Amino acid sequence: MPLLVMKFGGTSVANIDRIRRAAKRVGVEVAKGYDVIVIVSAMAGRTNELVGWVEEISPFYDAREYDAVVSSGEAVTAGLMALTLQEMDVPARSWQGWQVPLITTSAHSAARIEDIPTDNINTKFAEGMRVAVVAGFQGISPEGRITTLGRGGSDTTAVAFAAAFGAERCDIYTDVDGVYTTDPRITEKARKLDKIAFEEMLELASLGAKVLQTRSVELAMRYNVRLRVLSSFEEQSDDAGTLVCAEEEIMESNVVNGIAYSRDEAKMTLISVADRPGIAAAIFTPLSDAGVNVDMIVQNISEEGRTDMTFSCPTNQVARAEKALTDAKKKGDLNFHDLVADTNVAKISAVGIGMRSQSGVAAKMFQTLRDEGINIKVISTSEIKISVLIDRKYLELAVQALHDAFGLDKVA
Ligand code: ADP
Ligand code: ASP
Ligand code: MG
């Protein structure tokens, strides 16, 4: 039988009513003749609550136990979804990650999927089961411990299952009806895109547009999975939502196609480090060993052999970063006068594959922010994106102004 993967995010399974509504959507596809693999997230807010408990115990928690705790949210939803389907007389069974087993690397809290054996679930399909409900976000390491795939990881579980089982399509049901030119919660002028290119979606996701986890887009691109984002709250036709697809499938497009933001950024500056060969390695090796995800890096001009080094990382990794750097200083691997953390910054990015061939985007972005009186703290660019760090209090204003400036509310 043809197979579909349907993924339901946290808000789509926030309570029993919503789980029933999602199950009904699944029932519609089953009635059309599809076998379905349903991937579920934890009920809305649950993962945050679990993470909060872990962090309350220690900011330097053991990532193995973090995974043991935070994976539990999805386990609950999977069972509830299977029960709901059974009540509707749809033959369904649930699987947790380790039961599949979905094998991952041992990188706890940010594990990567290595293998999804299909025999277990396929045997059940052959026996007449119509829906396999799988807990998203989680797997099992080669050492036999539960792992998680990073926040938003159920998207990645869904795409990986679609690839492994050769599903006709991977539908991501969420609380918005597709991918927009920017987060529709920030400006009502945000426009829904019918299609978006893998490359652009990849950039938007990695720059903070949490509608899809970055890794899920990477996998869809690599395995050519037909990936669709749509709303679980509306009746859906077969071409609803946004299709994430190859660039060649897209007819019209603006130079800038999306504005992404990441709210929880921190800017850290090491004041007065010796400007000598090996200094960057001395700073960023301990940070990497401590699991800090460094994003932007700027080294200032040096004066009398000393310089300042600035980098950004997620706000919740500041404590880790501070510890790693002060430990390195104590060991004598590194010397600096002071370490200053600014935890009130946000990153705003403009993304578009059109930037490859058109210049002037950076200038326009900087002029727009200037006109709003917004100071830029750090800049970074790549082939199809420009990012800036600004004060967090200007986040909404900056996104709205850039959305207007680049005319994203309509197709050029
Ligand atoms: P789920 O729980 O279904 O996985 P998420 O909260 O992870 O949902 O992702 C959906 C949210 O992503 C939306 O509610 C929206 O606020 C946010 N979002 C950010 N950028 C975009 C964008 N460009 N298009 C659509 N949604 C976006
Ligand atoms: N529940 C996890 C999270 O909130 C995974 C997911 O929903 O995709 O990050
Ligand atoms: Mg999500």
Side-chain angles (χ1 to χ4, degrees):
M1 279 201 210
L3 183 92
L4 277 188
V5 170
M6 301 172 75
K7 179 254 171 180
F8 293 93
T11 17
S12 311
V13 292
N15 52 44
I16 302 301
D17 262 0
R18 299 240 176 115
I19 292 179
R20 282 205 185 103
R21 193 194 303 212
K24 264 197 202 150
R25 275 292 315 149
V26 176
V28 170
E29 302 297 350
V30 171
K32 284 187 204 160
Y34 285 104
D35 279 345
V36 180
I37 297 178
V38 172
I39 309 292
V40 287
S41 287
M43 294 160 105
R46 177 47 60 95
T47 309
N48 285 347
E49 181 181 45
L50 296 169
V51 171
W53 289 340
V54 170
E55 286 178 344
E56 197 178 321
I57 294 173
S58 162
F60 308 113
Y61 51 75
D62 177 338
R64 292 174 198 79
E65 301 309 335
Y66 167 96
D67 280 352
V69 175
V70 303
S71 61
S72 65
E74 273 67 10
V76 172
T77 329
L80 293 175
M81 176 63 84
L83 284 171
T84 310
L85 287 159
Q86 289 172 0
E87 284 301 301
M88 293 163 43
D89 293 328
V90 177
R93 183 61 62 209
S94 76
W95 272 266
Q96 296 183 36
W98 64 269
Q99 291 174 300
V100 173
L102 185 149
I103 313 285
T104 72
T105 60
S106 318
H108 284 277
S109 83
R112 286 180 160 238
I113 298 173
E114 301 262 86
D115 190 26
I116 303 183
T118 53
D119 22 328
N120 242 327
I121 289 177
N122 275 337
T123 305
K124 286 285 176 198
F125 275 133
E127 288 170 13
M129 175 192 69
R130 299 300 306 280
V131 181
V133 184
V134 180
F137 180 53
Q138 52 172 272
I140 184 168
S141 71
E143 294 78 31
R145 300 224 51 105
I146 307 281
T147 52
T148 63
L149 309 178
R151 296 307 305 269
S154 297
D155 298 331
T156 301
T157 310
V159 174
F161 268 84
F165 284 79
E168 199 173 294
R169 217 172 51 228
C170 180
D171 286 345
I172 306 284
Y173 285 88
T174 183
D175 54 2
V176 286
D177 61 349
V179 177
Y180 281 71
T181 47
T182 193
D183 187 344
R185 292 179 206 287
I186 301 279
T187 168
E188 57 190 27
K189 289 189 195 162
R191 175 172 52 89
K192 197 193 86 169
L193 300 162
D194 293 333
K195 291 182 179 178
I196 183 165
F198 283 125
E199 285 85 350
E200 281 180 341
M201 191 63 240
L202 199 56
E203 284 287 353
L204 286 175
S206 72
L207 294 167
K210 63 178 180 150
V211 60
L212 285 174
Q213 199 198 31
T214 311
R215 185 83 186 118
S216 72
V217 187
E218 258 167 36
L219 284 181
M221 193 165 156
R222 163 128 55 98
Y223 294 104
N224 233 328
V225 172
R226 264 190 114 63
L227 178 61
R228 193 162 71 131
V229 176
L230 67 174
S231 163
S232 63
F233 299 122
E234 289 157 29
E235 288 308 311
Q236 297 296 354
S237 60
D238 276 351
D239 60 355
T242 301
L243 186 70
V244 188
C245 60
E247 213 175 310
E248 295 72 36
E249 282 189 54
I250 296 173
M251 297 321 237
E252 43 192 16
S253 163
N254 291 335
V255 179
V256 170
N257 251 331
I259 308 289
Y261 66 87
S262 160
R263 198 179 286 277
D264 296 311
E265 298 285 319
K267 170 173 159 269
M268 304 196 68
T269 305
L270 283 154
I271 313 262
S272 187
V273 289
D275 190 6
R276 56 166 171 80
I279 189 64
I283 294 171
F284 295 104
T285 308
L287 288 172
S288 147
D289 292 345
V292 176
N293 299 315
V294 171
D295 178 19
M296 301 163 145
I297 300 175
V298 190
Q299 181 177 345
N300 280 15
I301 292 182
S302 82
E303 255 179 75
E304 291 165 10
R306 302 198 73 84
T307 182
D308 296 344
M309 188 80 86
T310 296
F311 63 90
S312 67
C313 70
T315 332
N316 64 2
Q317 293 181 358
V318 166
R320 246 166 224 264
E322 280 172 344
K323 183 168 187 311
L325 293 171
T326 35
D327 285 353
K329 187 176 176 181
K330 273 187 216 141
K331 277 203 295 182
D333 297 345
L334 178 65
N335 199 351
F336 55 87
H337 280 310
D338 205 359
L339 175 57
V340 186
D342 178 353
T343 51
N344 288 311
V345 293
K347 181 170 67 177
I348 315 286
S349 311
V351 174
I353 37 188
M355 280 186 213
R356 284 188 200 131
S357 54
Q358 193 148 331
S359 59
V361 175
K364 189 160 180 179
M365 181 162 181
F366 304 154
Q367 288 155 10
T368 307
L369 296 171
R370 174 202 62 200
D371 293 347
E372 299 294 338
I374 299 171
N375 189 33
I376 299 172
K377 296 174 178 244
V378 182
I379 301 170
S380 81
T381 65
S382 76
E383 200 189 17
I384 66 165
K385 74 117 204 281
I386 301 168
S387 300
V388 295
L389 276 193
I390 60 170
D391 269 335
R392 187 174 304 134
K393 63 179 182 226
Y394 297 125
L395 186 152
E396 282 81 7
L397 177 62
V399 170
Q400 288 156 3
L402 291 169
H403 197 271
D404 282 347
F406 288 109
L408 290 189
D409 53 333
K410 45 191 173 300
V411 185

